[in-house]
Amino acid sequence: MDPRLSILPNKPGVYIMRSKEGAIIYIGKAKNLADRVKQYFQASNLYSRGWKLPCLLPLIAKIDYVTTASERDALVLEEKLIKRYQPFFNSLGKDGKSYPYLKLTMGEDFPRLHLTRRRTPGKDLYFGPYPKSSIVKSLLRFLWKSKYAPLRPCKWNFSRQKPLDEKKIKTCIYYHTGQCPAPCAGKISYERYREIAQRMALFLEGDFDNITRSITVLMRRCSQNLEYEQAAVYRNFLQALEHMKERVLVGKFKEEKIVTAMDNTDKLKRLAEVIGMHKLPAHIEAFDNSHLFGREAVGCMVCFINGEKNTEHYRRFKIRSKLPQRGGSDFTMMEENVFRRLRQIKRDPSQMPDLILLDGGKSQIHAAMNAFERAGLYIPFIALAETHEGIYLPGAAESIKLPIGDPALNLLMEIRDEVHRFAITYHRKLRDKQTLSDGPMTA
């Protein structure tokens, strides 16, 4: 197994295989990128999938990937990329077909609900797309049979001004069996039928809470009564709800976004290579301090995910440590800054970064080591010295100097400059606030 594959994240997304010339030869999606891509290089799978895999593997020179919010997001993004780039080894997805949407024909007096692959402008509402259409069909069948939203299943075109021919009504099996509210026969008013359509629209927009709770109660009751077959029906219904709840975020993956994501992946791969990491540092947190002769001393942290700013996870700290009367101590402030963040991470390990970046050199390295020892927690970390842009690793005698323009250095400089900006901004805010509270100077 190629050790370079170990940097792939355990997240859903799309992987893009390229030849040595850079041409895209295969695009795939995965619930877990790391596990899926590794399967290609297992000897046991080499001849178990026909001609494609033995022919594909020798041509792969590079694998790019884009992480997504969910498996469904990955499915939709995969389809978009296959249509755009037409990779040779992708036999599916080139026929122009797209994943289906649910269409609620609100432009009609008596709306219907059905699957479609085309979206046209107008009053009709569209929901989706839904890659797993079989699940959606089962859910809609359940909703219809349970009378939650019994919209008419027929394809007849009629309205209040143009009623349906009586002969057609009499031949409708849904009308005779009472499975349809039969607006064509006047069994339900226009207003009441539109209320049912609006209820379905709210449901498809994600208003699942009430029905999820009621179905969960029914499933548990059936299970307790040993009615396992009916309990399984409710369980499948809840699984289908989960599929429909996943919001498709693929809209943000415009062409320039995909290119940016790939560029960021290349930068992270290069950084992992430079500092000797065996996994991709997808989650990086950077620390810096700011003060004015020890006054209004602050520490700040910024967060980058997959090479992009994640401002929701930025943190600010007012320094509490006792500092020299005339001047600050970057060493003391950095230790407190990192230590307080480590305490937060210990309380919530899900926030654990892959790499910590310090603005500074050897002294900041020692400060962070003290913080790790006090917190009883260790995370890989490096420092970047602004004076000569040298990368310091713990225990290394000399810094690593990369040429200007190196992708890894560019990324580190971008992150370092962001945390520097964030710290200075916070310090100035506190300093200006203190100046105002002190009032105007008097002679």
Side-chain angles (χ1 to χ4, degrees):
M1 186 77 67
D2 192 329
R4 289 174 295 180
L5 297 178
S6 63
I7 67 173
L8 289 163
N10 294 297
K11 295 180 179 179
V14 171
Y15 54 93
I16 301 159
M17 295 176 170
R18 297 177 181 269
S19 66
K20 64 179 180 180
E21 294 82 16
I24 296 176
I25 55 178
Y26 186 75
I27 296 172
K29 85 282 185 183
K31 186 176 183 179
N32 184 310
L33 283 166
D35 291 347
R36 181 69 186 92
V37 174
K38 288 174 184 177
Q39 289 177 359
Y40 283 89
F41 300 92
Q42 293 174 355
S44 58
N45 292 332
L46 187 55
Y47 296 102
S48 62
R49 302 185 183 182
W51 63 272
K52 185 183 293 185
L53 195 55
C55 296
L56 172 64
L57 287 180
L59 301 177
I60 300 172
K62 182 182 180 183
I63 300 176
D64 294 317
Y65 67 85
V66 179
T67 58
T68 58
S70 66
E71 182 184 10
R72 179 172 150 200
D73 214 3
L75 284 164
V76 179
L77 178 58
E78 177 202 34
E79 178 203 31
K80 279 180 167 291
L81 294 180
I82 290 174
K83 282 191 174 67
R84 182 174 184 85
Y85 294 105
Q86 298 285 301
F88 176 79
F89 286 94
N90 283 97
S91 56
L92 300 175
K94 295 183 181 181
D95 55 4
K97 289 185 178 179
S98 59
Y99 289 123
Y101 290 81
L102 277 173
K103 179 180 179 180
L104 185 59
T105 60
M106 297 300 286
E108 296 181 312
D109 283 352
F110 303 101
R112 297 166 289 166
L113 184 68
H114 59 89
L115 288 169
T116 181
R117 295 182 187 273
R118 292 184 179 181
R119 299 182 64 178
T120 54
K123 296 181 180 179
D124 297 336
L125 302 178
Y126 294 86
F127 305 90
Y130 300 107
K132 298 178 181 178
S133 58
S134 60
I135 292 178
V136 178
K137 289 178 182 177
S138 297
L139 182 142
L140 295 179
R141 196 177 303 116
F142 181 92
L143 289 174
W144 188 63
K145 287 184 177 181
S146 66
K147 306 296 185 181
Y148 176 80
L151 299 176
R152 63 187 181 99
C154 67
K155 297 181 180 179
W156 299 119
N157 292 316
F158 63 92
S159 65
R160 289 176 292 174
Q161 286 73 33
K162 187 180 178 182
L164 186 64
D165 189 287
E166 190 173 345
K167 292 181 180 178
K168 292 179 179 178
I169 296 174
K170 289 182 178 180
T171 60
C172 178
I173 189 171
Y174 299 112
Y175 166 72
H176 288 293
T177 58
Q179 298 180 69
C180 176
C184 58
K187 282 193 170 185
I188 185 172
S189 68
Y190 167 79
E191 291 76 16
R192 176 62 184 139
Y193 190 89
R194 297 291 294 193
E195 287 177 7
I196 294 175
Q198 288 293 345
R199 183 198 300 172
M200 177 58 82
L202 287 172
F203 173 79
L204 294 173
E205 286 173 357
D207 186 14
F208 301 139
D209 292 342
N210 289 332
I211 192 169
T212 298
R213 283 193 291 268
S214 61
I215 294 299
T216 301
V217 170
L218 290 172
M219 180 183 69
R220 290 172 179 169
R221 186 180 301 163
C222 287
S223 181
Q224 290 170 357
N225 295 335
L226 306 183
E227 298 172 1
Y228 297 119
E229 187 173 341
Q230 186 59 40
V233 172
Y234 291 136
R235 179 203 62 204
N236 294 340
F237 175 84
L238 292 173
Q239 289 175 349
L241 275 183
E242 286 300 315
H243 176 63
M244 295 184 73
K245 272 200 280 188
E246 288 182 356
R247 296 295 186 186
V248 175
L249 305 177
V250 74
K252 71 179 180 181
F253 291 110
K254 297 179 181 178
E255 181 62 25
E256 62 270 20
K257 288 286 187 180
I258 295 171
V259 172
T260 299
M262 291 181 183
D263 288 343
N264 288 340
T265 299
D266 288 339
K267 292 176 183 178
L268 293 169
K269 287 179 181 177
R270 172 61 177 158
L271 177 58
E273 176 188 351
V274 168
I275 64 177
M277 285 190 71
H278 297 296
K279 65 175 291 189
L280 201 73
H283 178 173
I284 300 176
E285 293 185 356
F287 295 81
D288 192 17
N289 312 305
S290 185
H291 64 97
L292 181 65
F293 303 113
R295 296 182 59 194
E296 306 302 338
V298 300
C300 286
M301 181 274 287
V302 301
C303 175
F304 276 59
I305 303 291
N306 295 322
E308 299 284 341
K309 297 176 186 176
N310 187 7
T311 55
E312 291 182 2
H313 284 246
Y314 282 22
R315 297 289 185 272
R316 303 184 300 189
F317 305 97
K318 288 184 180 180
I319 297 299
R320 302 167 181 165
S321 301
K322 187 174 181 180
L323 301 175
Q325 291 184 351
R326 295 186 178 181
S329 170
D330 287 335
F331 181 96
T332 301
M333 288 188 287
M334 183 62 77
E335 180 179 340
E336 178 183 334
N337 195 6
V338 174
F339 174 70
R340 289 170 64 180
R341 177 58 180 154
L342 292 176
R343 285 194 307 182
Q344 294 176 347
I345 293 172
K346 288 190 75 171
R347 288 192 292 268
D348 182 7
S350 66
Q351 298 184 29
M352 183 86 68
D354 301 313
L355 179 69
I356 283 177
L357 172 65
L358 311 174
D359 182 7
K362 287 186 177 181
S363 63
Q364 280 71 22
I365 290 283
H366 293 310
M369 289 299 296
N370 287 351
F372 287 131
E373 186 175 348
R374 289 172 57 195
L377 180 67
Y378 181 79
I379 300 170
F381 72 103
I382 59 175
L384 181 65
E386 191 171 0
T387 52
H388 58 282
E389 305 298 1
I391 303 170
Y392 287 90
L393 275 62
E398 300 293 333
S399 65
I400 300 172
K401 293 184 176 63
L402 299 177
I404 298 298
D406 186 282
L409 181 59
N410 286 348
L411 178 61
L412 292 179
M413 290 171 63
E414 179 185 356
I415 299 173
R416 189 269 318 281
D417 291 347
E418 173 64 6
V419 71
H420 188 64
R421 177 203 65 78
F422 190 52
I424 289 178
T425 301
Y426 183 42
H427 164 68
R428 286 176 177 168
K429 180 181 179 180
L430 294 182
R431 194 176 67 193
D432 292 344
K433 184 178 179 181
Q434 183 62 42
T435 301
L436 288 172
S437 65
D438 289 344
M441 293 182 65
T442 57

